[in-house]
Amino acid sequence: MGKLGKKARKFAKKNLQSVLKRKRKIKSTFKKKASKNQRDAAENEEENAELSARRNSENGDIEDMSLEAIFSEDESDEDEGDVDVDDSGSDGYLSEDSNCLPIAESEIHLGENGAAGKPSAQNQEILLELENKKKKLSRLKAKDPGFSKFLESHDKGLKSFRNENAYSDEDERSDDGMQSMDEDGPHLYLNKLLTSSAINSWCHLVKEQHNASAFISLLNAYRAACHYGAESTGILGSGSGAPILDCETFCKILMFVLREADDVFREMLGISSNCKRDTILGLKNNSKWKTVRPLIKSYLRSTLFMLNQATDSEILAFSLNRLRTSIVFFAAFPLLIRRLIKIGVHLWATGEETVSFHSFLILQDVASGFSSDCFDLCLIKMYKAFIGHCKFAEPALFKHLQFLRNSFVELCSQDLLRSSNKAKVSINNLSRILQLGLQTKKKEAVKKICSWQYANCIDLWVTYISHCIHDYDLQPLLYIIIQIINGMATLFPGPRYLPLRRKCIEWLNHLSSSSGIFIPVTSLVLDVLEYKVSKEVGKPGKDFNFSSAVKLPKHWLKSRNFREDCVFSAIELLSAHFAQWSYHISFPELATIPLIHLRKFQEKSDVESLRRVVKRFIDVVEQNIEFVKKKRDEVAFSPNDQQSVEAFLQLEKCSGNTPFTQYYRSVMEKAASRSLIMNENKSFLEQKKQKRKRGQNIVDVRANGEKVPEKSKVDQAVSVNDGK
């Protein structure tokens, strides 16, 4: 077949179906390629926008990045709305008749302006009527000034009445069913004193005859005692409750109700002392529960009010201890649980030793015995309280901060899944702050990182990871926290940051010993020995406690003690690091490079006492190297046999009789004795300063020329000693 002519080819391109089909196919492929390219371009633009936004956030203000505000979205602190609509009056004075149930109030839903929800047209009519009445009143005031004075006097009385109702902790919306108005009910407290004989008779009726009416009278008296001081108008009087005769009566009410209330409630409900949350929730439809519920709520709310007002540590500790026995009853009052957590966390963070301990036990019971939301709320509030109280680490508060840290870690161990999520959020926030500081080197960022708050936050999560790593997979958090600690040591390399570097190395040693993972710290330790000490060494400086500082003062760098502290710190930290791996099969290789640096330092040092310390350390490490090599030459397994490598020298490790282990113990004992002596010297100097101030306060000559009394023998002795 011959070749088509020019006209025939034109006709085929325009009209043949096969050619048209091919054209359509080519066009569709080009469209697909174009759309794919456009999609890729759009994705690239989105990625660039995200990167730029991330850079802008990283370069943002360091002051906006707070350690304690990271969980602000996870909780709401609206404690002021703790009102039970079903039984809002149960915290007021109870009716003496035990069968008298509180009448349920009608639910009132308020609008934005506090008025009941009604159609807008009616609201407008009411507003118009009010405006007309105001205009009429203003006209009357202008015409009759005496009438206006009469209105103002009544207006002041109404305002004081409203303020009393607004600031009372009762959430009463109706007086029906709460107070009997006859003389025999508890309403008589408003006019009669609570005497010791009346309290004794009620206590006898409750204990011997199980009298419910007497118990209710005692609960009313207990409420008056708990509110004593907050509503009082006299010495032992109460503005809205019963006036108490004396302190003896006050103590009898508190002690009896706190001791016996829990047993009486359980006896009235017929439940055991070991019942749990589900048992209380199952009693809601029981007739007994409807009778006892307002009594329990009155007791719990009065006790919480007293815990929020009392300052005596013995009263607080005893009240917390007794409230803990009734903790299960809070299951029926979810809003009171929030108030209990808030008060418990405050007392845990600010109270004395016994108060803080009992508060933690209550928080622990709430976190373990109630819902997961209660656990989250306890965890968040305790974390914020710890971060808020660790901004300054004074030696007097150091023990309390340790207790707060350890108790928080113990609470976290109850639910590792939830606590690890919170830890991840906090550790990532620490990482962002450090990353911003390393990138910008701004003064604000560096100051935030080199602070007690940041250091104590790291110490908190180091303790948490070390304590819980064998019970839950915390390897990702372990890796991040190690990077943060190394970043801190890199950011502050100077000699003034010796205390902070020492803490970083201690954290790494602690993580390594608890996780069993090798973390290299020798380079950080050896850098301490390389600090340049001024040739013009001054006098020995005053005793300085490294545990209470993250940064050394400038004058300390020129003292003789600084060089000693550097050497002692390096020996202690290296001993702790080597003690963990002294039985490992690779210890000879681990200790080779540090020994080379230590020998160089020994040759350069011109202080004989420091050279002896370093020489002693080198000799003990070399003995341990020879010991491990000798045992390693006797084995027949290869380095690839991981199980045999891990079992190497485990029997010797359990006995702990090797020379290096004994040397490590002696080093730690000397370090502990040094810190103890330092603390004693510091306390002695503080006492001496106080005596000196006392002596300076004695003025020998008065301005009015009166004769000065002679000094006492103690003051004379103090002045003589100061003169010496």
Side-chain angles (χ1 to χ4, degrees):
M1 187 176 174
K3 196 175 182 181
L4 291 174
K6 190 175 181 181
K7 290 183 179 180
R9 287 199 301 273
K10 282 184 179 180
F11 179 80
K13 284 181 182 179
K14 288 182 180 180
N15 301 310
L16 285 180
Q17 293 181 0
S18 59
V19 176
L20 294 173
K21 189 176 181 181
R22 189 181 172 191
K23 284 183 179 180
R24 285 196 297 269
K25 198 172 182 181
I26 291 169
K27 283 183 181 180
S28 64
T29 55
F30 277 116
K31 282 182 180 179
K32 284 180 182 176
K33 286 181 181 178
S35 62
K36 189 177 181 181
N37 292 332
Q38 290 173 359
R39 203 181 304 124
D40 292 340
E43 289 177 358
N44 290 332
E45 287 179 1
E46 290 178 1
E47 289 178 1
N48 292 331
E50 289 178 1
L51 285 170
S52 62
R54 198 178 302 163
R55 288 194 195 102
N56 291 333
S57 64
E58 288 175 355
N59 294 329
D61 194 359
I62 186 67
E63 294 178 358
D64 297 335
M65 303 178 74
S66 175
L67 292 174
E68 50 190 321
I70 53 175
F71 298 124
S72 58
E73 297 178 0
D74 297 338
E75 64 162 325
S76 59
D77 295 330
E78 296 175 1
D79 296 297
E80 293 77 17
D82 292 353
V83 178
D84 256 345
V85 178
D86 298 334
D87 190 16
S88 61
S90 61
D91 189 38
Y93 288 101
L94 302 164
S95 173
E96 194 169 342
D97 185 6
S98 62
N99 295 321
C100 181
L101 299 176
I103 298 173
E105 294 85 355
S106 60
E107 296 185 3
I108 301 173
H109 300 284
L110 298 180
E112 294 179 358
N113 297 324
K118 292 182 180 180
S120 58
Q122 292 183 5
N123 287 336
Q124 291 177 358
E125 292 177 2
I126 291 169
L127 289 171
L128 288 172
E129 289 179 6
L130 287 172
E131 287 179 1
N132 292 329
K133 287 181 179 179
K134 283 181 180 179
K135 289 178 181 178
K136 288 180 181 179
L137 285 172
S138 60
R139 290 174 197 158
L140 284 171
K141 285 179 183 179
K143 289 181 180 179
D144 192 354
F147 180 68
S148 66
K149 290 180 182 178
F150 172 77
L151 285 178
E152 287 175 0
S153 63
H154 278 265
D155 189 39
K156 289 179 182 177
L158 284 171
K159 282 183 179 177
S160 63
F161 176 74
R162 286 170 190 158
N163 289 335
E164 287 177 4
N165 288 339
Y167 288 103
S168 66
D169 90 310
E170 303 171 326
D171 45 14
E172 295 178 291
R173 298 188 187 179
S174 173
D175 292 334
D176 298 336
M178 284 311 300
Q179 296 178 354
S180 58
M181 298 306 294
D182 55 344
E183 293 182 357
D184 297 329
H187 190 67
L188 59 87
Y189 300 157
L190 296 175
N191 300 319
K192 294 185 179 181
L193 285 172
L194 287 174
T195 60
S196 181
S197 59
I199 299 301
N200 288 334
S201 64
W202 286 341
C203 295
H204 178 76
L205 288 172
V206 171
K207 290 196 77 172
E208 302 297 332
Q209 302 179 13
H210 305 288
N211 190 305
S213 180
F215 180 63
I216 293 172
S217 300
L218 276 173
L219 286 178
N220 287 325
Y222 178 68
R223 184 199 177 279
C226 289
H227 286 70
Y228 163 68
E231 302 173 351
S232 62
T233 55
I235 298 174
L236 282 171
S238 177
S240 61
I244 301 172
L245 182 62
D246 51 19
C247 294
E248 184 183 355
T249 308
F250 177 83
C251 293
K252 279 183 180 178
I253 295 168
L254 287 182
M255 297 298 288
F256 182 83
V257 174
L258 286 171
R259 280 176 178 166
E260 304 295 334
D262 184 72
D263 295 334
V264 173
F265 291 145
R266 293 178 189 274
E267 186 179 351
M268 293 173 77
L269 292 171
I271 58 177
S272 64
S273 59
N274 297 325
C275 70
K276 295 186 178 180
R277 170 174 169 261
D278 296 335
T279 307
I280 301 298
L281 293 176
L283 293 171
K284 283 193 172 181
N285 298 324
N286 194 344
S287 59
K288 290 182 180 179
W289 172 252
K290 293 180 180 178
T291 305
V292 180
R293 184 181 188 274
L295 311 185
I296 295 174
K297 185 176 181 183
S298 176
Y299 167 71
L300 296 179
R301 293 195 65 173
S302 298
T303 307
L304 289 177
F305 187 86
M306 180 184 63
L307 290 174
N308 204 25
Q309 299 293 326
T311 55
D312 186 76
S313 59
E314 293 182 3
I315 293 176
L316 287 171
F318 180 74
S319 303
L320 288 167
N321 188 24
R322 296 307 306 159
L323 186 64
R324 190 186 170 206
T325 60
S326 306
I327 201 77
V328 70
F329 293 119
F330 280 92
F333 310 103
L335 296 175
L336 288 184
I337 295 176
R338 296 182 64 84
R339 190 179 297 179
L340 173 66
I341 293 171
K342 184 178 180 180
I343 294 171
V345 169
H346 174 71
L347 294 175
W348 168 75
T350 60
E352 296 180 3
E353 188 175 354
T354 53
V355 175
S356 184
F357 176 71
H358 286 294
S359 302
F360 170 68
L361 292 178
I362 284 183
L363 293 170
Q364 195 176 27
D365 291 344
V366 170
S368 60
F370 294 98
S371 63
S372 57
D373 292 337
C374 292
F375 177 84
D376 288 342
L377 189 59
C378 288
L379 189 68
I380 291 167
K381 284 187 173 291
M382 287 176 72
Y383 172 80
K384 287 187 171 184
F386 175 81
I387 293 298
H389 284 82
C390 70
K391 294 179 180 179
F392 308 99
E394 298 177 4
L397 301 175
F398 189 68
K399 187 178 178 182
H400 183 61
L401 282 176
Q402 281 185 325
F403 170 76
L404 296 183
R405 180 198 65 195
N406 295 336
S407 55
F408 177 81
V409 170
E410 188 175 345
L411 183 82
C412 290
S413 62
Q414 293 183 359
D415 191 342
L416 291 175
L417 177 61
R418 288 183 168 272
S419 62
S420 62
N421 291 332
K422 304 295 181 188
K424 185 178 179 182
V425 174
S426 178
I427 291 172
N428 286 335
N429 187 45
L430 292 172
S431 177
R432 283 195 296 271
I433 294 172
L434 179 64
Q435 189 177 7
L436 186 62
L438 289 169
Q439 287 176 354
T440 61
K441 300 289 180 70
K442 288 183 178 179
K443 185 178 179 181
E444 295 82 7
V446 173
K447 189 176 179 181
K448 183 177 279 290
I449 297 167
C450 185
S451 65
W452 270 115
Q453 194 177 37
Y454 193 89
N456 281 317
C457 190
I458 291 178
D459 184 56
L460 178 72
W461 296 123
V462 166
T463 309
Y464 167 73
I465 294 169
S466 303
H467 182 73
C468 305
I469 194 165
H470 294 293
D471 301 324
Y472 194 75
D473 183 19
L474 298 175
Q475 296 293 333
L477 297 182
L478 175 66
Y479 174 76
I480 297 172
I481 203 76
I482 290 171
Q483 297 299 316
I484 292 172
I485 295 169
N486 283 322
M488 281 186 72
T490 306
L491 185 60
F492 304 104
R496 289 191 65 188
Y497 298 99
L498 175 62
L500 184 61
R501 177 171 285 257
R502 180 169 176 164
K503 289 180 188 301
C504 291
I505 298 169
E506 287 174 351
W507 290 331
L508 293 175
N509 281 335
H510 188 33
L511 290 170
S512 179
S513 61
S514 60
S515 63
I517 297 172
F518 176 75
I519 302 174
V521 298
T522 52
S523 61
L524 298 176
V525 177
L526 295 174
D527 287 343
V528 174
L529 296 175
E530 300 297 327
Y531 285 153
K532 293 181 180 179
V533 183
S534 177
K535 293 182 180 180
E536 298 177 359
V537 179
K539 298 178 181 180
K542 295 180 181 179
D543 291 330
F544 190 81
N545 194 353
F546 276 48
S547 62
S548 61
V550 291
K551 188 178 179 181
L552 292 173
K554 287 183 179 180
H555 66 83
W556 184 261
L557 303 181
K558 296 181 180 180
S559 66
R560 297 177 190 173
N561 298 1
F562 176 67
R563 184 181 295 181
E564 294 177 3
D565 288 330
C566 289
V567 175
F568 287 142
S569 298
I571 296 299
E572 290 168 15
L573 296 170
L574 270 181
S575 299
H577 180 60
F578 284 170
Q580 184 188 350
W581 305 103
S582 60
Y583 296 94
H584 199 267
I585 199 168
S586 62
F587 180 76
E589 288 74 24
L590 171 66
T592 301
I593 295 176
L595 286 181
I596 294 171
H597 285 272
L598 289 172
R599 288 193 189 98
K600 288 181 179 179
F601 176 80
Q602 185 191 2
E603 293 173 359
K604 291 179 182 179
S605 179
D606 54 354
V607 182
E608 185 61 29
S609 59
L610 299 181
R611 291 179 66 183
R612 283 200 303 267
V613 172
V614 176
K615 181 69 167 59
R616 172 65 177 152
F617 179 76
I618 292 171
D619 292 342
V620 176
V621 173
E622 286 178 345
Q623 289 178 16
N624 198 76
I625 289 172
E626 294 299 326
F627 170 72
V628 174
K629 281 183 177 180
K630 185 178 178 182
K631 293 290 184 181
R632 191 166 65 179
D633 293 339
E634 296 174 0
V635 300
F637 57 84
S638 68
N640 295 328
D641 190 354
Q642 190 66 30
Q643 188 174 1
S644 300
V645 168
E646 291 177 357
F648 180 74
L649 293 181
Q650 289 302 308
L651 293 175
E652 289 81 357
K653 187 176 183 179
C654 294
S655 63
N657 293 325
T658 58
F660 188 83
T661 304
Q662 295 174 1
Y663 170 77
Y664 171 67
R665 288 173 187 162
S666 67
V667 168
M668 292 296 106
E669 288 173 2
K670 288 178 182 177
S673 64
R674 250 195 333 269
S675 63
L676 183 63
I677 292 169
M678 194 180 297
N679 291 332
E680 288 177 355
N681 291 339
K682 194 167 185 180
S683 62
F684 175 75
L685 288 171
E686 287 177 356
Q687 291 176 2
K688 197 171 180 181
K689 282 181 181 178
Q690 289 177 359
K691 287 181 180 179
R692 196 172 294 169
K693 286 180 181 178
R694 222 177 289 148
Q696 289 175 357
N697 290 335
I698 299 172
V699 183
D700 293 330
V701 180
R702 291 184 182 175
N704 55 5
E706 293 180 6
K707 189 177 179 180
V708 181
E710 293 182 0
K711 291 184 180 180
S712 64
K713 292 182 179 180
V714 176
D715 295 331
Q716 288 175 2
V718 170
S719 61
V720 169
N721 290 331
D722 290 342
K724 291 181 181 179

